[in-house]
Amino acid sequence: MKSSFLIALFTIFFLLGCSSRPPALPASHAQQLAWGSIDLNPNSTNKNNIVSSLGQSLLQKVDTQKDINSTIKYNVLALSGGGSRGSYGIGLIIGWSKKGDMPKFDVVTGISTGAVMAPFVFLGDDEIDKAKYFYTEMTTEGVFTSSMLSFFSDGYIMNAKPLQKLFRKNFNKEFLDKVAAEHKKGRRLYVGTTNLDTGQLTVWDMGAIASSDREDKYERFSDIIYASTALPVYLPPQYMKVDVDGKNYYQMHVDGGLYAQVFMIGLLVDWGKVLDLNPDIQKRFDANLYIIANRKYRQRDIYTPVTQDPFSIIEAYILMEMDLLFDKNVYRMYTASQAKGIHFKISSIPKKMKDIIPIPTEFKPAQMKKLFDIGYRHGVNGIRWQDNISLNEYDNNK
């Protein structure tokens, strides 16, 4: 039996019509930033750019290291997409935390299901345990409900209100106050979404949003997390309001995993030059990039014959494309890390596992708990990080 996820992917090719959407940005303002998002161009004069966000974090880190002979540790954690398979990642993190040697990350990034767990991991301590609920007890019905009739008018087949309600409940004032406090210390929480109107990745500075005095910050925070998980056609998109000359327009944002399955900004920026850092200070930096993949990595030896029907063919096509996208994202991050002297480490779902890997859009507690337990054991017993990716490995089918 094929999942409703695959049906959604198939029916996109037979879209019969659509309802009107909120007004899109005029073409002359197509690249305008929505409140809370970052201009990723380090040369931009926009006050909400990567330099004012990540650059400021680096400077604050330097300021905390008064001893001129001390190493400046800077740890980044990137959490990938994977739907309900996030049970592996959150299990790994909780186990790692219990082991006691998990660093307090200076930057945490999340995309798709990684965006859901990222805020909890960013805060750490008891907040990490709260994320366990999402990946061990949630059921499909508790995440979304069927809305097939909406497909022909609005272009989606599942109602996301249960999921949106859950986000609003968790990301409340108390939670955002904690995020804002960490942001003030120089730590950063980034979430990625895909702007369908421009076809580009949008990165949101969640700590800056939490630190704002705007009344709509709670709504914006939750909407971004939802948008990063909103698989097109399966779930409704999230419209982000943008003000232009006193008028409201809207960008259509969906699952960040369409653009990148895992990400980190600023890897290739020459921060020493941009921030005018003393060469001696640059040499003191010891940067580490950890990637937790809520999926398998480079497993090309699985033999699964595809039957001659649309669902099976589309399933094989989509899974292959997502695998390749993830591989390319990871390889790009690896080569960037190598170029900048950043220590690279990745952990993913073991390749030999098959039967207990849940379908990403199906939340079945029994399956998710098994995958959580595997991640937990890896974390608490010492993670075996892969720290090297060779060209031969990248091109090899095995």
Side-chain angles (χ1 to χ4, degrees), residues 211-230:
S211 302
S212 170
D213 58 2
R214 290 180 55 138
E215 294 182 357
D216 60 346
K217 66 181 180 181
Y218 307 103
E219 179 181 357
R220 178 56 57 104
F221 195 101
S222 295
D223 285 349
I224 291 166
I225 303 297
Y226 166 72
S228 191
T229 69

Side-chain angles (χ1 to χ4, degrees), residues 11-19 151-153 155:
T11 51
I12 190 173
F13 296 103
F14 298 93
L15 186 61
L16 299 180
C18 60
S19 63
F151 171 74
F152 298 103
S153 60

Side-chain angles (χ1 to χ4, degrees), residues 261-287:
Q261 282 288 304
V262 64
F263 80 99
M264 175 55 194
I265 60 175
L267 287 176
L268 289 177
V269 174
D270 187 346
W271 289 108
K273 181 178 180 180
V274 171
L275 300 176
D276 193 25
L277 293 176
N278 184 298
D280 291 335
I281 292 178
Q282 296 181 54
K283 292 177 182 178
R284 289 167 53 202
F285 265 96
D286 180 18

Side-chain angles (χ1 to χ4, degrees), residues 18 75 137-138 147 217 221 287 307 323 351 357 373 377:
C18 60
N75 296 306
E137 298 184 44
M138 286 286 292
S147 184
K217 66 181 180 181
F221 195 101
T307 59
D323 282 346
K351 292 183 178 181
I357 304 298
D373 289 341
R377 288 198 296 272

Side-chain angles (χ1 to χ4, degrees), residues 97-98 169 197 223 295 317 350 395:
S97 177
K98 300 296 183 186
K169 178 182 178 181
D197 292 332
D223 285 349
R295 57 187 303 120
Y317 167 74
D395 293 330

Side-chain angles (χ1 to χ4, degrees), residues 26-250:
S28 58
H29 292 272
Q31 300 300 322
Q32 183 155 332
L33 295 175
W35 170 64
S37 60
I38 303 171
D39 189 331
L40 299 179
N41 179 4
N43 299 314
S44 170
T45 57
N46 192 310
K47 66 177 182 178
N48 298 318
N49 65 10
I50 188 174
V51 176
S52 65
S53 180
L54 184 57
Q56 185 60 39
S57 170
L58 291 166
L59 289 176
Q60 284 185 245
K61 191 70 175 184
V62 171
D63 288 342
T64 63
Q65 303 293 324
K66 301 300 182 181
D67 183 354
I68 61 173
N69 297 314
S70 65
T71 298
I72 304 174
K73 290 278 189 180
Y74 199 80
N75 296 306
V76 177
L77 175 66
L79 302 168
S80 86
S84 57
R85 296 172 183 176
S87 51
Y88 172 79
I90 203 64
L92 185 85
I93 290 166
I94 291 176
W96 190 9
S97 177
K98 300 296 183 186
K99 188 173 186 295
D101 61 354
M102 185 174 76
K104 188 170 187 178
F105 298 102
D106 298 285
V107 178
V108 176
T109 78
I111 204 156
S112 199
T113 203
V116 178
M117 62 179 72
F120 298 101
V121 176
F122 179 73
L123 292 182
D125 300 326
D126 294 340
E127 296 294 348
I128 298 180
D129 291 324
K130 291 181 182 178
K132 182 179 178 181
Y133 170 79
F134 285 87
Y135 297 100
T136 59
E137 298 184 44
M138 286 286 292
T139 62
T140 303
E141 294 75 18
V143 179
F144 27 66
T145 57
S146 178
S147 184
M148 289 297 294
L149 293 179
S150 298
F151 171 74
F152 298 103
S153 60
D154 298 305
Y156 60 85
I157 64 171
M158 301 299 284
N159 187 317
K161 288 183 179 179
L163 182 61
Q164 292 169 315
K165 183 178 180 181
L166 189 63
F167 289 157
R168 293 287 176 87
K169 178 182 178 181
N170 278 273
F171 303 130
N172 53 24
K173 183 181 185 304
E174 180 183 3
F175 193 95
L176 264 65
D177 285 347
K178 292 180 181 179
V179 172
E182 295 304 313
H183 181 82
K184 187 176 181 180
K185 298 174 185 176
R187 300 180 64 225
R188 295 294 181 262
L189 172 61
Y190 297 129
V191 167
T193 64
T194 301
N195 181 342
L196 274 189
D197 292 332
T198 63
Q200 294 295 316
L201 177 72
T202 297
V203 176
W204 306 83
D205 189 333
M206 306 302 280
I209 293 171
S211 302
S212 170
D213 58 2
R214 290 180 55 138
E215 294 182 357
D216 60 346
K217 66 181 180 181
Y218 307 103
E219 179 181 357
R220 178 56 57 104
F221 195 101
S222 295
D223 285 349
I224 291 166
I225 303 297
Y226 166 72
S228 191
T229 69
L231 184 67
V233 179
Y234 193 77
L235 294 174
Q238 179 64 54
Y239 290 102
M240 296 297 187
K241 184 168 64 175
V242 182
D243 178 82
V244 177
D245 298 329
K247 295 183 180 179
N248 291 329
Y249 297 93
Y250 297 83

